[in-house]
Amino acid sequence: MTGTYSAERQVDSFRSSTNRWLLGSFTGWLTILSCAIGVGLVVIAVRWLQNMAAAYDVTDQRLIVRRGLIMKSIDEIELYRVKDVRVDFSLINQLTDIGTITITSSDRTTGNGTFVLRDVPAARERREGIRKLVDRARQRRGVRELDVDAEDGFR
């Protein structure tokens, strides 16, 4: 890497899992059942293409999201700007160890909103890893979060 991120090191790299989505979600099981009438194969193909079109890299400073097969885009979220990292998973998701990670950030990439990573393998462990990296990035930059509530003022 070049520029200001020369000291940056990659921590994790992953893609959403089509196989685990099939076996680990209610929608996946319905898709498998619908394969008997041919519709399910189209759904699986579309989901596989969506998952292949997105790759996630986590460094000690940023979350980098690469999307697209033909038209590509790269979004970066500075970890020190992450406000919250949440993981959601159903009972079936737990059996296959996938989940949805939702990142709330003040970064312009997310439009001061949320960024969703779907069908993430080992989502609970990855969420915890991201949370720790966020804390380190904030300490390194000396960043503290200040919440302002319209009714209560500063907290």
Side-chain angles (χ1 to χ4, degrees), residues 16-120:
S16 298
S17 174
T18 305
N19 291 338
R20 290 188 181 180
W21 168 78
L22 274 172
L23 299 175
S25 70
F26 183 70
T27 309
W29 279 102
L30 286 178
T31 302
I32 291 171
L33 291 175
S34 66
C35 283
I37 59 172
V39 176
L41 295 175
V42 173
V43 173
I44 292 170
V46 168
R47 189 61 169 234
W48 181 78
L49 283 172
Q50 287 174 337
N51 289 345
M52 291 306 297
Y56 311 106
D57 294 319
V58 180
T59 71
D60 58 350
Q61 297 177 29
R62 299 177 290 164
L63 168 65
I64 304 165
V65 179
R66 292 177 173 83
R67 290 205 168 124
L69 292 174
I70 297 170
M71 295 295 292
K72 300 218 178 230
S73 68
I74 299 174
D75 291 323
E76 299 177 357
I77 299 173
E78 295 288 339
L79 291 179
Y80 75 90
R81 292 181 180 263
V82 171
K83 293 176 155 283
D84 186 44
V85 183
R86 187 180 84 207
V87 65
D88 295 306
F89 45 89
S90 69
L91 180 62
I92 297 173
N93 290 156
Q94 293 176 57
L95 296 174
T96 55
D97 196 23
I98 65 168
T100 298
I101 296 176
T102 304
I103 296 174
T104 305
S105 169
S106 63
D107 198 282
R108 293 180 195 265
T109 300
T110 63
N112 294 330
T114 59
F115 202 80
V116 179
L117 314 174
R118 298 190 189 288
D119 307 324
V120 175

